[in-house]
C-alpha cells in the first residue's frame, strides 16, 4: 500500500472516490484502531518536521567570523596593550553592537518552519471502527476518513468522497481570492494546478461553508504544506549584496593595512628610527587605515532608514536587506491582497438593458454610480436589484474601530453585494428588519443559486441570486425601463452577451431575480429577472502609480499568482503592468526547459495558476540572468520564493506568519505602493554608505600617503601617533556619522538600479577617492617641507600639517556628499554635518591653544598667518574634486555606474 500511496501522491484528483478508497485500503467506516496505529508507525506523525536546527551559540560564534570584526578585534587588543584604553573601549562597543544585531537577525530567520507548524489543525474528527471520534491531528494517517464542517481547518491533504455545499478558503496556499466550491467527481489532467483540483482539500486551508467527508491521502511532510516546509529548509537565503560588498572592502583594507604599514615601519627602522617608536607608530597607522566606525555607520544608516520606512508603512526585519532594495531590478508580486485590494467588489451592474459602473474599492461602503462616465443617482431598478441581492445574502459588513477598517462577516462575494447595496443607501441590517426572512432555499453547488423568501406589504416575495444561466432558466419575465415584460429569446441573448462580456473582463457574474406571491414550492419558477452584478477583487488605486514609478526607476514589475489566467490578465492590464510581454500558466511553465525559460524570462510579465515550485523557478531564473529580485506575497505558497529572493516582502495585514518569518520586509499596509518608498530609502542608504566610504578611504589615502612620502623622502615623521589617532577619530567620528543621515539626491528615483556585480567602490568612485587622497598627500607634504624650510620649529611644522590634514578632510566631507553632483548643489542641506564640523573645529582649537592639551597632542599655538596659509591650501581640494566630477559627468573618464 505504501508504494501505491507514494506513486500517486500528486494524482489523487484523477481517481474516483471509490478508487481512492480502494488504493488506500480504506472504507466508509474508516480504519480500525489497530490499522491506524500500524500506519502511524509506518508514516510517522502528521506534523511538519524541522530540519537540523542551528543552535543559538553557533549563530553567535559565526558573527565573529566576519573579516571586519576580526580586524577590529585585533586593533582593540593592540590599542589596549599600548595604553589607548578609550579607543579600545569604543571599538569593543561597536563590535558587540554589530555582533548582537547579526545574531538577532539570524536567530529570528530560523522561525519560519515554526510558523508553518502553528497553522496546522490541532485536532481532527475522524471515523475509526465506524465511530466518529476526535483525535489529535498529529495522529492522522493516510486512509483515515475525516469529517469537515464550516470553520474547520483542514488537518491533512485529502480526497473528497462527500461534499455538501462545501467551500474552502485556499488563498494562503493557492492565491485564489474567493472560497473554492468543492465536489467529489474525478478530474482529468495530471498537471492541474492546486487551485483547479476541486475534489481535493489541503492541510492548512479552512472550510468556510457546508460540510464534507474526505479520505486522507498525505500527512506531515508529504502534504503540500510539507513540501513548502521542505523548500523553506533547503532554500539558502545567502548573504545580501551589502554584506558581500563590506566583506570585500574589509579584505582589501586588511591587506592594504598590513602591506603599507609594514613597509613604512621597516623603512623607518632601516633609517635608524627606534624600533619601539616605529612599532607604536605602525599600530596607530594601522588603526587609522581600518574603518573602526564602519559597522556603526552602516548600522546607524540602516537603522535610521528602517525608522523612516516604518513611517512609510514598511517594516524591515533584516537590516542589510534595506540596501538590497535599492538594487532591485525585478519585483515579482503576488496579485491577491498585494496588487489588488483582497476584498471582492461589485464593479458593474447590468439592469434594464444598460450597463452601470460602481466606484469604490473593497468593503468600505463609499462609492458612486455612473453611466457612460457620467455620475448618476442609482436608478430605481438598480436599487431594486441591489435590495434583492442584499436580502438574498447571509453576509454582513462591520466597521472595526480598532484599525478603522471595514470587514465582512461571511462570504466575500456576498459581501460585495451588501457593500454595493450600501452605496445605494440600502443598509443590510435595515433591510432585514423591514423585510424579515420567512423561509429560504439554501445555496448548493448543484443548484448554483440561493433563494430567500421575505414578508413585505405586498405579500411574500422571493429573491434569488446565482449563476446567470441558472437564474435565467427560472425566469419568464424581466424588468425593463418600460416596466415588467416577457423575457423573449432576444432578451435572453442580450443578457447572456452582457454576462459573457463581464466574464471576459475577469468579473465574477451573478444574476438576481424575484418572484411575488411566492411559496417555497414555486419560489424558483416563473421569476422576474432583475439584472446582473459583476464582481472582482479590484486593483489597488495607488498600485498603478506605483508601477509607473517602478518603471521610471528602471524596475520591472511582474505578476505571479495562483489565480485564473483570465483574471490575472484583466487585472494586470488595468494596472498597466501587462504591455508587450507574455502571460504564461504554471502548466505551460512546466513544459519549458530551463535554458529556454531563462532566455524568455525577462519577456514574461504575468504568471497564472502557479505553484510554490514555479515561483521559486521564476525567482531563480531572473537571478541567473543577473537581476536583483524582490518577491512580494501574503500566502503560505509565497514563503519559499520570499526566502529565495534577494529580498522577500510580506503583507502585514493579510499575510500569514509563515511569509512574515520568511520575508526580509513586511508592508504594514499591504500596499504595493509602499515598496516604491522602500526602494527609495534603500537607494538613499546605499548612497550614504558610499559617501562615508569615499570620505573615509580618501582621508586614509591622504594620511598614509603623507606618512609614506615623508619616510621615502627621508623626512622626520610629520605627525605623532597621538595626532594620527586623533585625525582618525575626527574623520571616523561625527562627520562620518553625519554622512550616514545625509538627505537623498533629488534624482535618486530617476536612476537605473545598480547591477548586482556593481560594488560600493566602483571605478569612478575609486578614482574620486584617489584624486582626493593624492591631492591631500601633495598639499600636506609640501606644507610640511615648506614649514621646516621656512625656519619654523618641527612642532609648529607638524601642527600646521596636522591642522591642514583635518581641514582638507572637512572640505572632503562636503564634496563627497555626492560622487556626481557639485558641492554647490545644496551645500549645507545636511544640518548634522554642519553641526559636526562646527564641533570638530571647536575641539581642534582647544587642542592647539589649551596648554595642558598641547603636551599630549604635541601641538603648537599657531599665529594668524599660519591659519591663513593653511586655509588657502586646504580649500584647494574643492576645485580639484569639482573639476574631476565635472569630467565624470561629461563621460571623459568612462561610464558612470
Amino acid at each position: 500500500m505504501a508504494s501505491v500511496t507514494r506513486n500517486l501522491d500528486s494524482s489523487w484528483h484523477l481517481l474516483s472516490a471509490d478508487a481512492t478508497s480502494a488504493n488506500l485500503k480504506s472504507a466508509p467506516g474508516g480504519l480500525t484502531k489497530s490499522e491506524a496505529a500500524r500506519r502511524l508507525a509506518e508514516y510517522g506523525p502528521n506534523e511538519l518536521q524541522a530540519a537540523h536546527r542551528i543552535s543559538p551559540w553557533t549563530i553567535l560564534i559565526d558573527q565573529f567570523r566576519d573579516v571586519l570584526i576580526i580586524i577590529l578585534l585585533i586593533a582593540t587588543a593592540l590599542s589596549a596593550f599600548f595604553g589607548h584604553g578609550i579607543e579600545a573601549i569604543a571599538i569593543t562597543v561597536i563590535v558587540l553592537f554589530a555582533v548582537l544585531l547579526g545574531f538577532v537577525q539570524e536567530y529570528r530567520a530560523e522561525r519560519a518552519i515554526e510558523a508553518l507548524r502553528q497553522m496546522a489543525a490541532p485536532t481532527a474528527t475522524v471515523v475509526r471502527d465506524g465511530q466518529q471520534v476526535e483525535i489529535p491531528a498529529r495522529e492522522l494517517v493516510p486512509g483515515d476518513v475525516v469529517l469537515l464542517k464550516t470553520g474547520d481547518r483542514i488537518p491533512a491533504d485529502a480526497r473528497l468522497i462527500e461534499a455538501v455545499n462545501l467551500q474552502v478558503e485556499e488563498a494562503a496556499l493557492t492565491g485564489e481570492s474567493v472560497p473554492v466550491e468543492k465536489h467529489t467527481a474525478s478530474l482529468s489532467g495530471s498537471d492541474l494546478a492546486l487551485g483547479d483540483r476541486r475534489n481535493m482539500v489541503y492541510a492548512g486551508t479552512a472550510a468556510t461553508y457546508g460540510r464534507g467527508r474526505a479520505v486522507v491521502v498525505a500527512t506531515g511532510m508529504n502534504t503540500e504544506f510539507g513540501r513548502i516546509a521542505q523548500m523553506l529548509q533547503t532554500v539558502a537565503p545567502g548573504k545580501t549584496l551589502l554584506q558581500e560588498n563590506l566583506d570585500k572592502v574589509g579584505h582589501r583594507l586588511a591587506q592594504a593595512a598590513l602591506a603599507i604599514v609594514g613597509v613604512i615601519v621597516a623603512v623607518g627602522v632601516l633609517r635608524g628610527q627606534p624600533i619601539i617608536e616605529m612599532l607604536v607608530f605602525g599600530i596607530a597607522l594601522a588603526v587609522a587605515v581600518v574603518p573602526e566606525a564602519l559597522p556603526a555607520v552602516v548600522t546607524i544608516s540602516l537603522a535610521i532608514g528602517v525608522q523612516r520606512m516604518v513611517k512609510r508603512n514598511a517594516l524591515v526585519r533584516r537590516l542589510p536587506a534595506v540596501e538590497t532594495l535599492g538594487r532591485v531590478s525585478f519585483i515579482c508580486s503576488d496579485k491577491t491582497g498585494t496588487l489588488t485590494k483582497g476584498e471582492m467588489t461589485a464593479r458593474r451592474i447590468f439592469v434594464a438593458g444598460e450597463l452601470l459602473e460602481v466606484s469604490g474599492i473593497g468593503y468600505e461602503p463609499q462609492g458612486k454610480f455612473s453611466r457612460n462616465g457620467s455620475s448618476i443617482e442609482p436608478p430605481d431598478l438598480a436599487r431594486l436589484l441591489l435590495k434583492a441581492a442584499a436580502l438574498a445574502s447571509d453576509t454582513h459588513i462591520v466597521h472595526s474601530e480598532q484599525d478603522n477598517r471595514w470587514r465582512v462577516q461571511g462570504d466575500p462575494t456576498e459581501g460585495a453585494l451588501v457593500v454595493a447595496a450600501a452605496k445605494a443607501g440600502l443598509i443590510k441590517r435595515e433591510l432585514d428588519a423591514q423585510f424579515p426572512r420567512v423561509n429560504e432555499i439554501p445555496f448548493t453547488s448543484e443548484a448554483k443559486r440561493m433563494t430567500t423568501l421575505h414578508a413585505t406589504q405586498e405579500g411574500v416575495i422571493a429573491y434569488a441570486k446565482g449563476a446567470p444561466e441558472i437564474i435565467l432558466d427560472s425566469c419568464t419575465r424581466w424588468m425593463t425601463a418600460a416596466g415588467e415584460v416577457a423575457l423573449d429569446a432576444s432578451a435572453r441573448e442580450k443578457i447572456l452577451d452582457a454576462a459573457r462580456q463581464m466574464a471576459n473582463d475577469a468579473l465574477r457574474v451573478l444574476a438576481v431575480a424575484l418572484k411575488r406571491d411566492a411559496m417555497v414550492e414555486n419560489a424558483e419558477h416563473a421569476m422576474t429577472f432583475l439584472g446582473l452584478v459583476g464582481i472582482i477583487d479590484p486593483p489597488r488605486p495607488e498600485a498603478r502609480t506605483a508601477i509607473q514609478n517602478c518603471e521610471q526607476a528602471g524596475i520591472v514589475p511582474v505578476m505571479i499568482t495562483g489565480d485564473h489566467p483570465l483574471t490575472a490578465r484583466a487585472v494586470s492590464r488595468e494596472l498597466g503592468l501587462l504591455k508587450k510581454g507574455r502571460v504564461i500558466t504554471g502548466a505551460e511553465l512546466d513544459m519549458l526547459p530551463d535554458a529556454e525559460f531563462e532566455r524568455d524570462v525577462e519577456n514574461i510579465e504575468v504568471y497564472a495558476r502557479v505553484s510554490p515550485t514555479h515561483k521559486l523557478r521564476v525567482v531563480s531564473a531572473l537571478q541567473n540572468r543577473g537581476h536583483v529580485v524582490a518577491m512580494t506575497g501574503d500566502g503560505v505558497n509565497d514563503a519559499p520564493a520570499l526566502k529565495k529572493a534577494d529580498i522577500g516582502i510580506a503583507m502585514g495585514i493579510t499575510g500569514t506568519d509563515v511569509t512574515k518569518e520568511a520575508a526580509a520586509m513586511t508592508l504594514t499596509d499591504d500596499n504595493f505602493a509602499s515598496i516604491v518608498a522602500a526602494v527609495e530609502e534603500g537607494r538613499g542608504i546605499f548612497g550614504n554608505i558610499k559617501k562615508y566610504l569615499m570620505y573615509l578611504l580618501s582621508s586614509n589615502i591622504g594620511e598614509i600617503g603623507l606618512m609614506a612620502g615623508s619616510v621615502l623622502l627621508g623626512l622626520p615623521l610629520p605627525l605623532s601617533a597621538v595626532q594620527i589617532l586623533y585625525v582618525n577619530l575626527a574623520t571616523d567620528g561625527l562627520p562620518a556619522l553625519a554622512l550616514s543621515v545625509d538627505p537623498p539626491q533629488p534624482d535618486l528615483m530617476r536612476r537605473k538600479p545598480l547591477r548586482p556585480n556593481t560594488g560600493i567602490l566602483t571605478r569612478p568612485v575609486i578614482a574620486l577617492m584617489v584624486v582626493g587622497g593624492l591631492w591631500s598627500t601633495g598639499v600636506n607634504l609640501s606644507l610640511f617641507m615648506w614649514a621646516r624650510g621656512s625656519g619654523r620649529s618641527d612642532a609648529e611644522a607638524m601642527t600646521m600639517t596636522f591642522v591642514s590634514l583635518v581641514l582638507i578632510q572637512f572640505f572632503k566631507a562636503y564634496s563627497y556628499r555626492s560622487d556626481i553632483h557639485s558641492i554647490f548643489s545644496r551645500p549645507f542641506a545636511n544640518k548634522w554635518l554642519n553641526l559636526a564640523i562646527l564641533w570638530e573645529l571647536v575641539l581642534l582649537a582647544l587642542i592647539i591653544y589649551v596648554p595642558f592639551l598641547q603636551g599630549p597632542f604635541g601641538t603648537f599655538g599657531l599665529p594668524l598667518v599660519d591659519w591663513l596659509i593653511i586655509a588657502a591650501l586646504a580649500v584647494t581640494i574643492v576645485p580639484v574634486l569639482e573639476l574631476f566630477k565635472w569630467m565624470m559627468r561629461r563621460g571623459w573618464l568612462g561610464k558612470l555606474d
Side-chain angles (χ1 to χ4, degrees), residues 633-835:
D634 57 356
V636 174
N637 58 334
D638 299 321
L642 261 61
K643 191 174 181 182
K644 171 66 176 174
D646 296 287
I647 179 160
I649 306 171
M651 301 296 109
I653 298 174
T654 59
T656 60
D657 288 342
V658 184
T659 55
K660 293 174 188 176
E661 290 296 334
M665 186 177 87
T666 299
L667 301 182
T668 58
D669 61 349
D670 286 14
N671 195 333
F672 181 85
S674 297
I675 298 172
V676 181
V679 168
E680 183 177 359
E681 291 293 344
R683 290 187 176 188
I685 287 167
F686 178 83
N688 287 349
I689 293 172
K690 181 169 68 173
K691 294 170 190 176
Y692 163 77
L693 282 175
M694 282 194 299
Y695 167 60
L696 171 77
L697 297 183
S698 179
S699 299
N700 286 353
I701 291 171
E703 295 167 26
I704 293 173
L706 172 63
M707 307 310 293
S710 62
V711 170
L712 294 175
L713 292 174
L715 299 171
L717 294 176
L719 298 175
S720 68
V722 174
Q723 286 174 342
I724 290 176
L725 289 173
Y726 179 79
V727 170
N728 186 48
L729 178 64
T731 55
D732 269 16
L734 293 180
L737 295 179
L739 284 176
S740 71
V741 294
D742 199 53
Q745 297 297 317
D747 62 343
L748 197 63
M749 289 302 288
R750 294 193 295 273
R751 302 178 191 174
K752 299 300 181 184
L754 290 173
R755 295 186 296 274
N757 58 352
T758 301
I760 297 176
L761 303 181
T762 60
R763 286 185 179 179
V765 169
I766 292 173
L768 193 62
M769 290 191 312
V770 170
V771 166
L774 292 180
W775 187 262
S776 174
T777 296
V779 167
N780 291 317
L781 198 56
S782 299
L783 175 62
F784 181 64
M785 294 170 64
W786 175 84
R788 292 186 73 244
S790 67
R792 288 171 169 82
S793 65
D794 283 352
E796 185 175 354
M798 289 176 68
T799 302
M800 290 181 71
T801 306
F802 169 64
V803 173
S804 173
L805 180 62
V806 171
L807 292 185
I808 286 176
Q809 292 181 2
F810 289 167
F811 282 120
K812 283 182 183 178
Y814 285 99
S815 288
Y816 286 142
R817 286 187 58 236
S818 173
D819 58 331
I820 300 173
H821 299 298
S822 169
I823 189 177
F824 302 109
S825 172
R826 305 187 308 153
F828 303 111
N830 188 340
K831 65 177 182 179
W832 299 112
L833 180 59
N834 301 334
L835 292 173

Side-chain angles (χ1 to χ4, degrees), residues 550-700:
C550 283
E551 292 172 346
Q552 187 181 34
I555 301 168
V556 181
V558 173
M559 179 187 291
I560 305 184
T561 178
D563 219 335
H564 194 278
L566 192 63
T567 305
R569 185 186 298 271
V571 172
S572 59
R573 276 186 175 153
E574 185 172 345
L575 286 168
L577 187 149
L578 181 60
K579 295 181 177 69
K580 299 179 181 178
R582 294 169 54 190
V583 178
I584 190 172
T585 65
E588 293 169 336
L589 184 56
D590 285 333
M591 303 297 291
L592 286 178
D594 287 340
E596 184 179 348
F597 177 51
E598 282 193 20
R599 188 184 68 237
D600 296 342
V601 68
E602 293 169 323
N603 299 318
I604 301 173
E605 294 176 332
V606 177
Y607 299 82
R609 278 290 189 251
V610 294
S611 68
T613 305
H614 295 136
K615 295 184 179 186
L616 270 177
R617 191 178 174 197
V618 172
V619 171
S620 298
L622 286 169
Q623 289 174 332
N624 291 341
R625 294 288 292 179
H627 292 287
V628 178
V629 183
M631 170 72 189
T632 75
D634 57 356
V636 174
N637 58 334
D638 299 321
L642 261 61
K643 191 174 181 182
K644 171 66 176 174
D646 296 287
I647 179 160
I649 306 171
M651 301 296 109
I653 298 174
T654 59
T656 60
D657 288 342
V658 184
T659 55
K660 293 174 188 176
E661 290 296 334
M665 186 177 87
T666 299
L667 301 182
T668 58
D669 61 349
D670 286 14
N671 195 333
F672 181 85
S674 297
I675 298 172
V676 181
V679 168
E680 183 177 359
E681 291 293 344
R683 290 187 176 188
I685 287 167
F686 178 83
N688 287 349
I689 293 172
K690 181 169 68 173
K691 294 170 190 176
Y692 163 77
L693 282 175
M694 282 194 299
Y695 167 60
L696 171 77
L697 297 183
S698 179
S699 299
N700 286 353

Side-chain angles (χ1 to χ4, degrees), residues 151-435:
D152 283 351
R153 188 170 290 279
I154 310 301
D157 290 2
R159 170 67 164 87
L160 286 165
I161 56 178
E162 178 184 320
V164 180
N165 306 326
L166 182 63
Q167 296 182 18
V168 178
E169 174 63 64
E170 296 180 337
L173 186 65
T174 67
E176 189 77 48
S177 53
V178 295
V180 179
E181 295 178 11
K182 296 294 184 176
H183 60 72
T184 60
S186 58
L187 301 170
S188 59
S190 59
D191 58 351
L192 275 182
L194 293 181
D196 292 325
R197 300 183 183 184
R198 299 299 179 94
N199 56 11
M200 300 287 297
V201 289
Y202 296 101
T205 61
T208 60
Y209 194 82
R211 58 184 175 83
R213 184 182 293 243
V215 59
V216 174
V217 299
T219 58
M221 297 300 284
N222 292 320
T223 64
E224 293 298 329
F225 252 43
R227 294 179 186 182
I228 292 173
Q230 287 175 330
M231 283 189 277
L232 281 172
Q233 292 170 357
T234 56
V235 171
K239 288 188 175 182
T240 67
L241 296 168
L242 177 62
Q243 290 168 326
E244 291 176 356
N245 272 308
L246 293 180
D247 282 349
K248 290 178 183 178
V249 170
H251 279 100
R252 290 172 182 172
L253 289 177
Q255 294 166 358
L258 290 173
I260 297 172
V261 173
V263 169
I264 292 176
V265 171
V267 171
V269 171
L270 291 175
R271 289 182 55 242
Q273 297 282 353
I275 295 178
I276 297 298
E277 180 183 332
M278 288 307 300
L279 191 58
V280 172
F281 175 79
I283 291 169
L285 195 57
V287 171
V289 172
V290 176
E292 294 93 337
L294 180 58
V297 169
V298 170
T299 300
I300 290 170
S301 296
L302 296 175
I304 291 174
V306 165
Q307 292 303 314
R308 287 200 297 251
M309 290 170 71
V310 167
K311 295 177 182 177
R312 302 174 80 170
N313 302 308
L315 178 64
V316 175
R317 292 182 59 245
R318 301 169 195 161
L319 288 183
V322 177
E323 181 270 337
T324 307
L325 268 169
R327 294 174 176 266
V328 166
S329 55
F330 266 78
I331 297 178
C332 300
S333 175
D334 188 41
K335 177 187 72 69
T336 305
T338 310
L339 289 167
T340 65
K341 185 72 172 175
E343 300 175 355
M344 300 301 289
T345 305
R347 294 285 290 271
R348 295 182 198 166
I349 295 175
F350 177 80
V351 63
E354 64 178 8
L355 200 62
L356 304 180
E357 301 284 340
V358 185
S359 67
I361 301 291
Y363 299 139
E364 184 176 2
Q366 298 292 329
K368 296 181 179 180
F369 295 78
S370 61
R371 181 193 298 116
N372 299 324
S374 300
S375 294
I376 60 170
E377 287 297 319
D380 290 341
L381 291 181
R383 288 174 58 84
L384 177 60
L385 164 67
L386 294 171
K387 168 187 167 183
L391 285 170
S393 299
D394 292 326
T395 297
H396 291 79
I397 58 171
V398 293
H399 182 258
S400 171
E401 297 293 342
Q402 184 174 1
D403 57 5
N404 196 31
R405 295 184 69 224
W406 287 86
R407 289 183 169 84
V408 296
Q409 293 180 335
D411 180 73
T413 301
E414 285 191 347
L417 298 175
V418 172
V419 171
K423 291 175 183 177
L426 302 167
I427 308 304
K428 166 71 171 169
R429 182 182 62 258
E430 296 174 0
L431 291 175
D432 287 341
Q434 187 176 357
F435 308 105

